[in-house]
Amino acid sequence: MTEDAPTTTQVPVGLLTCQHTPYLRQFNTTVLSCSKKPNKQKLYEVQLQDTILFPEGGGQPCDYGTINESIEVKNVQRVGTSHVHHTTAPVEEGIEARLEVDWKRRFDHMQQHSGQHLVSALFEQPEYGCDTLAWGMNATRCHVELSKAPTPEQVQEVEDRLNLYIRRNYPVHVTFTEERPATLPKDYVGPNGVFRVIEIMQDLDVIAAEEDPLNLIHKEKRGLVRLDYNPCCGTHVKSLKDLQCIKLLHQEKIRGNNSRLYFVVGQRALDLLQETYQVTKDLAPVLSAPGGPETYVDTIVKNQKAARETVKQVKNLLKEIAAYQVRDWTAELKEKNPITIQEDGKSTSAPYLVKYHRDDVDMDFLGVITALLKDNDLIQGQRIFMLSAGEKKDGGPMMIIGQSDEAVKKIATEVSKLIDIKGGGKGRWQGKAKSWQGLDSAWLAAEALVHAESA
């Protein structure tokens, strides 16, 4: 646990340097306290007077960074309006500490969070009426949960507007209000009785300059109007140009009529473009589509059709192979293991083992053989059929079939001692082997059991 510390001297969350000067990458502050022992995550809990490392909150993950270059900060958490840094080593109390933020992570979070405010602001406009109920950020994508699903046309229209506003470089302001927002966590009290608000402003002079580049109509300055105004503790860009671009992705229906809309901002959009481009480039030789992405759909449709035809042909050929195999067994059994009819009308035969393995087939093929054995009335008397399939190193399915459940169980038990296989069943034992190492030995053991029954 963190020891008691003079938290009254801490700069409270809401007024932290990371919040009012988010572009600052290095910063000196005082160490107020440090836990004597690491916590369950094997990290020490450190309280600093102020920080440039953002504590997790408002849907935004915490910052990473270092203290005095060598001590890593792996987590920063808010406790009320206090902030606790989780470090890989203890820090001496009372000393001046030099913080450095992982800037790549911080700027990514700034882009995504400011982008979310802008996305939500546009979808909440009266013409769309999609209120933001929640949002989330992971390592690759962000999402907003909207009160209803916008149409594809609306999504495209909003995306166009988002990137227009980025090109216009509207400013992002940090301001404060004394009115407590309903969305804030219950344990959060505003420092000095005020609450932090992020405000995105629409610059009417920029719009006027686009409409009237020679300034013939708009003689006077028109100023800024509010586009977005929401309470937020996160770190944000100072103007929309730092967002670079926003790409809206796909939607998922959740919780009734709500919609989860995914998006990426800035560098994440560029990274996604690069990943997608590389995938399409790598697919060209795989699909044999030299025409590039434009031909992929047609190529895949043709390949799928050809694959279905091939599968159909293979199935038909395997059925023919199975039929020929059963025909051969019919002749073999008629000669070597004939069925005799007893006085009570029951059929019987001497104990006899039929063993069969094929590398290039699967369980479906064994199922076809089993059906043919039944159709040709070959599973009679004391005959045992021991069927298996699959490559030697990969293993595969095995079926042991006979009229005598006791005889089938005996052989299955013996086989399980020699092959790494698990299975079960009554009258028809079925299992799957991890490999066919030991199959020859299993055949010999099964033959020995069958011969013992006939002795």
Side-chain angles (χ1 to χ4, degrees):
M1 295 179 58
T2 306
E3 297 183 354
D4 292 337
T7 55
T8 54
T9 63
Q10 266 197 332
V11 174
V13 174
L15 301 177
L16 299 175
T17 297
C18 63
Q19 294 173 303
H20 63 70
T21 314
Y23 286 78
L24 190 62
R25 305 188 190 192
Q26 295 179 334
F27 178 71
N28 289 350
T29 189
T30 302
V31 180
L32 299 180
S33 69
C34 178
S35 61
K36 301 301 181 184
K37 296 180 179 180
N39 57 24
K40 292 181 180 180
Q41 289 72 43
K42 299 182 180 180
L43 298 172
Y44 291 84
E45 298 181 5
V46 178
Q47 290 192 347
L48 305 174
Q49 185 179 25
D50 196 358
T51 185
I52 58 166
L53 303 183
F54 175 72
E56 179 181 359
Q60 180 176 328
C62 70
D63 284 333
Y64 294 161
T66 58
I67 297 178
N68 294 337
E69 298 183 351
S70 60
I71 299 175
E72 294 182 66
V73 179
K74 292 292 189 180
N75 193 2
V76 188
Q77 289 296 313
R78 176 184 68 82
V79 182
T81 55
S82 299
H83 41 97
V84 181
H85 297 62
H86 296 236
T87 64
T88 55
V91 186
E92 184 181 348
E93 295 181 13
I95 67 168
E96 184 177 74
R98 184 163 183 78
L99 298 181
E100 185 167 354
V101 66
D102 179 341
W103 178 248
K104 183 178 180 181
R105 177 181 171 90
R106 153 69 69 75
F107 190 65
D108 170 57
H109 291 175
M110 290 167 63
Q111 286 189 318
Q112 308 313 310
H113 202 161
S114 297
Q116 178 266 315
H117 275 244
L118 188 59
V119 169
S120 295
L122 262 68
F123 275 113
E124 288 172 1
Q125 295 295 307
E127 58 265 43
Y128 306 116
C130 301
D131 294 332
T132 295
L133 306 176
W135 86 287
M137 180 197 310
N138 62 24
T140 56
R141 296 179 186 178
C142 300
H143 71 266
V144 287
E145 182 179 337
L146 303 175
S147 58
K148 66 177 183 179
T151 66
E153 293 76 18
Q154 288 176 326
V155 171
Q156 185 59 58
E157 185 177 310
V158 168
E159 182 180 295
D160 292 341
R161 289 179 64 182
L162 289 167
N163 289 289
L164 172 63
Y165 292 171
I166 291 172
R167 293 196 299 275
R168 287 175 174 170
N169 192 26
Y170 291 158
V172 180
H173 295 154
V174 176
T175 185
F176 294 90
T177 179
E178 294 182 359
E179 185 178 345
R180 179 183 178 85
T183 56
L184 287 183
K186 293 181 179 180
D187 68 335
Y188 182 79
V189 292
N192 304 325
V194 297
F195 301 93
R196 189 169 180 268
V197 176
I198 298 301
E199 188 176 53
I200 300 176
M201 307 300 291
Q202 192 169 5
D203 193 333
L204 299 183
D205 293 310
V206 172
I207 299 174
E210 291 177 357
E211 298 172 349
D212 180 24
L214 297 179
N215 197 26
L216 299 177
I217 303 172
H218 305 291
K219 300 292 185 180
E220 298 179 358
K221 290 287 185 181
R222 304 172 71 189
L224 303 174
V225 296
R226 183 179 290 161
L227 180 64
D228 178 56
Y229 184 82
N230 272 296
C232 184
C233 64
T235 55
H236 289 270
V237 298
K238 58 187 176 184
S239 64
L240 295 188
K241 72 177 178 62
D242 276 353
L243 299 185
Q244 296 175 275
C245 62
I246 296 179
K247 178 61 186 173
L248 303 181
L249 303 174
H250 63 286
Q251 296 187 72
E252 294 175 349
K253 281 193 174 181
I254 58 169
R255 286 187 285 277
N257 293 325
N258 295 358
S259 173
R260 179 173 290 164
L261 174 66
Y262 290 87
F263 66 93
V264 285
V265 184
Q267 189 59 46
R268 291 195 186 192
L270 298 177
D271 291 342
L272 181 60
L273 174 61
Q274 178 60 37
E275 292 167 8
T276 305
Y277 173 77
Q278 190 61 48
V279 168
T280 57
K281 186 171 177 290
D282 293 342
L283 276 175
V286 175
L287 297 175
S288 299
E294 296 82 3
T295 65
Y296 283 0
V297 174
D298 289 341
T299 301
I300 291 172
V301 169
K302 291 177 182 178
N303 289 347
Q304 287 179 332
K305 184 178 179 180
R308 286 193 294 267
E309 290 297 324
T310 300
V311 169
K312 184 177 179 181
Q313 291 172 2
V314 169
K315 284 185 176 181
N316 289 335
L317 290 172
L318 288 175
K319 285 181 180 179
E320 289 185 23
I321 291 172
Y324 282 122
Q325 182 60 61
V326 171
R327 187 186 65 181
D328 290 344
W329 285 337
T330 300
E332 175 187 337
L333 293 169
K334 184 177 182 180
E335 178 185 348
K336 297 182 179 180
N337 189 250
I339 296 295
T340 57
I341 305 300
Q342 297 177 331
E343 291 181 0
D344 58 4
K346 292 183 178 180
S347 60
T348 186
S349 73
Y352 194 85
L353 178 68
V354 175
K355 53 187 186 294
Y356 179 82
H357 180 87
R358 191 177 178 101
D359 292 346
D360 57 353
V361 295
D362 56 15
M363 188 63 191
D364 289 341
F365 180 77
L366 299 188
V368 172
I369 285 187
T370 302
L372 289 171
L373 290 175
K374 290 180 179 179
D375 291 344
N376 287 273
D377 206 20
L378 297 183
I379 306 173
Q380 295 191 64
Q382 298 186 64
R383 295 170 180 172
I384 299 292
F385 294 85
M386 189 174 174
L387 316 175
S388 56
E391 296 285 347
K392 185 174 183 180
K393 64 177 181 178
D394 298 326
M398 172 178 277
M399 297 176 68
I400 303 173
I401 308 164
Q403 203 169 48
S404 169
D405 184 47
E406 183 181 353
V408 168
K409 282 185 177 179
K410 282 184 180 180
I411 292 177
T413 300
E414 196 64 27
V415 166
S416 298
K417 296 176 183 177
L418 301 168
I419 299 174
D420 188 359
I421 190 170
K422 291 183 179 180
K426 186 175 181 180
R428 187 181 79 174
W429 187 92
Q430 184 175 315
K432 187 175 182 180
K434 292 184 177 180
S435 81
W436 288 123
Q437 185 176 358
L439 180 60
D440 291 339
S441 299
W443 278 349
L444 291 173
E447 286 178 341
L449 285 174
V450 171
H451 290 156
E453 289 291 331
S454 62

